[in-house]
Amino acid sequence: MIARVERWIPAARTQGERRALSWAHAPDLDIWLLLTTAVLCAIGLIMVFVASAGVAYTTYGNPAYFFERQVVWLLLGGVGLVIGLRLDYHRWRQLGPWLGAASVFLLVAVLVPHIGVQVQGARRWIGAGSIEIQPSVIAQFMVVVFGAVWLDQRRRSITNLREGVIPYAWRIGVVAALVILEKDLGSTMVVAMVGLGLLVLAGTKLRYLLGLAVTGLLAGGLLIAAEPYRVARLLAYLNPFAHPLGSGFQAVQALYAFGAGGVFGTGFSSPVPSAQILPEAQNDFIFAVIGQDLGLVGTLAVLALFGVFAWRGYQIAKNAPDHLGALLAGGVTIWIVGQALINIGGVTDTIPSTGVPLTFISYGGSSMALSLAATGILLNISARRRRAGSANARADHGGRNRGPLHPRASGR
Amino acid sequence: MAALSAILLVAVFGLGARLVELQVRQGPQLAAAAVSQQVQQITIPATRGLILDDQGQVLAGNVPTYDVFAAPNQIPATERLREATQLAPVLNLPANQLVQLLTKPLAFEYLAKGQSAQVESQLQRLNLAGIGSIQGETRYYGPGPVPGTTLASDVLGFVNASGQGQYGLEGYYNSVLSGKAGRQSVVNDLQGNPVVLGSAPQQPAVNGRNLQTSLDASIQASVEKDLAAEVKKVNGSSGTMIVMNVHSGGIVAWADYPSYNANNYATEPVKLFRDAGVADLYEPGSVGKVLTFAGALNRHVITPTETFDETGQVTVQGWTIRDWDLRAHGVISMNWVLEDSLNVGAVHIEQWEGARPFYNNMQAFGIGHPTGIDLAGASNQPLPAFSQLQPIQLATASFGQGYVTTPIQMLAAVNAVANGGVWVQPHVVTAITGGGQPTTYIKPKTHRVISAATAQTLSQMMVGVVDVPGGSGFEARIWPTWKGEIAGKTGTSSVSNGQGVYGNNTIDSFTEFFPASNPQFSMLCIIRNPQVPAPQREGAYDAAPTSKLVTQQLIDRFKLQP
């Protein structure tokens, strides 16, 4: 498979360039980004085991049940990362539309009974044995890639409402609507966030952005009002202690866990029950388990790691060889870091909890695998960053780079 | 891009500040609140399956018990003393200890577990807020005929405090009987107010399945009573008696003496739990001659009436084997060898038949092979490989010494003779019922060991053991009604110290099946280490009369006609 991928690197036409781009010999590969990702995944692996061992033992008789599956997904994610890294990111121009079509197909398929698996009232998984994938996660990945490709192709009309903004908005809107049909508000928010973020990076006008943002907020408000459990979640956010054993239970337990952890944490064999009884401890609320077991030191470390990821992502986008690279790098960074911050905000009861995973750390296969694949794309772009006289700078063969190599935000 | 970076920066620092707020500033307060909640889910015990006898009578059942709890954080501080004072006499706990429990900053705390229905009804009358009880159950076994025991305790086993079946059927079928416990997060106090412990969904318990057995409570009771009486009479150390249905292999009664009170297992000596019927390895003694005769008759090596000169001793590899009476018996028939239980005759039969066929015959009767009976704790000792056997070992094996077997292995072997030559796997459970699943019927394994004709011939020879005056089983006869219908064989084995040195202790036994013309029941009675003068210290004088009593019970109970 790796050999086939290598043939997809048209940019490196000479032997020297090919070597420069190959995985082992990429001198410009952003090693900090790779390290940060690896550390986050390692923390995730440990914390998934710690948070899930009890539940896994009582439910499956095997304390490592979730841990073992996380390892498998991590290996799949590793393959995804290598593919993203070795595949010239310009190839996504051709792959983008197919990916978009496949993702829309999956989003529709999951709504069909017998194909989609219903879990706790939400139909968002496509199951095959013990491995279930979430099409909404694939949709997020697709919005990053397809959005970047589309905006790159229409870059001249991006300040035009009718030819640029509206066609883009309805495409993102269709995906968001399909995700909403899966009762997945968290993923919808992520889709909207990435969609808007890409538009900012592409340099559209501020008033269009504001208009879209207001539309999105109104739609979000309606969607919340339509589902009783979302209203309950919102109220639980506003005052979780009003129903500490009902709708506020998860939020309260998470806050208890953070409090119990203090500065240095209670360690992994804590007698304080919060982390053990926290629903979905290994999934969306894993950050609270980190808060209890590893304390403020652990939570700030994770936050800082995402900060490093954002910083490296920003640098890669800034130094990207072309417009597409900048959009892709920015989109991937917004997706990965933004999702993590939304999760942390929700778990700490800073913003309403929406049920998005903590990137690289939460248990949850397809999200982890695709986040790693997206990181691979980011690394691929980093290996081609602009450098005076370097082979990589010349490697951009698109010949369409007459415009600014990277956009300035809204021209402001 | 700068704007986006700024937003990210603000978010990261904002969340960092929020974490400091949560983990440092509010930390101690939240931590204290976290510790105050402990129990989140209550286990709802599954109802353990019943064990029933052949008439549907409950041998092992359940009685409700109650775990009394408090929801201290729902009891106003001003009410604590009043509630504690009212609870103290009911729960038989000091009031000040109860006040302490009620003062804990907890959502849930057990006050007393395993309370009786009487305590529960008193609690219901008190009707206190923040106090409740959760119903569970404990295993209950009916009383046995011997004081201080429960009926059939050795075959049933018991259930320990953590709900695990131990020994006997409870141990063997634990997973079938136990079901699966459920969980709930909301319980009600005495006033019906919910005590919410957590948000995890309720999971109902799955009840266990019932065991339908072939045991018969009334026969079981008489076997226990008669066995205990005989062991005490001869001042023996212990006894075992098993009654089996000849054709089905179903166990009708199964008793060990001394036995124990399964309702009170915690205070009983552990050594009583061992079920001698499956666990004890012993040398069967002359009962083993049944197998020697069966093999030789089946291969037409001997006939019942053929005669030979019995000299009273035989020498094998330098060892001299004598008869029990140390006499020479002259020219006698094979019938008389069995009736008078003559070791020298048995050795000759083994030698005439040949070592290899003799050995194969023992294997075919299941000596050294687990019977597969459905009771926990079964022992087995395989016979030595044929190549390792010395002629002297085969010679002693012909009269049931020098090898070990369990009582149930021996009974199953003799039962094959009763069952027309077909060995049938002994088993206690006939069907597994209930639990919302279709009934599972237990089908025992069978295999033919000797021909039906051989079985018939040997049965008649064994009738002689009981009916012929001077026969060793004469004490088991029921004359005149059942003359010619009781087939038996006595055994009195010397007890080895484990190193091949035999002392004065004996294991007396008697095996029997009847009616000989159409066998229905087989049985084996074993009395260990009787301490009476030598002539009476034999299976003929203790195990045989006990078997007779049980036979009469069986005849009455199942209305058998001669």
Side-chain angles (χ1 to χ4, degrees), chain A residues 52-66 276, chain B residues 41 180-181 183 203:
Chain A
S52 71
V55 168
Y57 184 74
T58 51
T59 316
Y60 301 101
N62 171 14
Y65 181 88
F66 292 106
Q276 284 94 301
Chain B
Q41 282 204 320
K180 197 165 180 291
R183 291 192 298 273
Q203 200 180 333

Side-chain angles (χ1 to χ4, degrees), chain A residues 2 5-7 9 11-29 82 85-88 379-380 383-384 391-392:
Chain A
I2 300 299
V5 171
E6 201 157 12
R7 279 195 277 114
I9 304 183
R13 274 165 293 183
T14 72
Q15 191 65 32
E17 283 171 9
R18 185 180 293 272
R19 194 179 302 122
L21 282 176
S22 85
W23 183 26
H25 296 94
D28 292 335
L29 187 85
V82 171
L85 169 61
R86 306 212 56 173
L87 186 62
D88 179 4
L379 287 168
N380 181 275
R384 294 158 186 276
N392 292 347

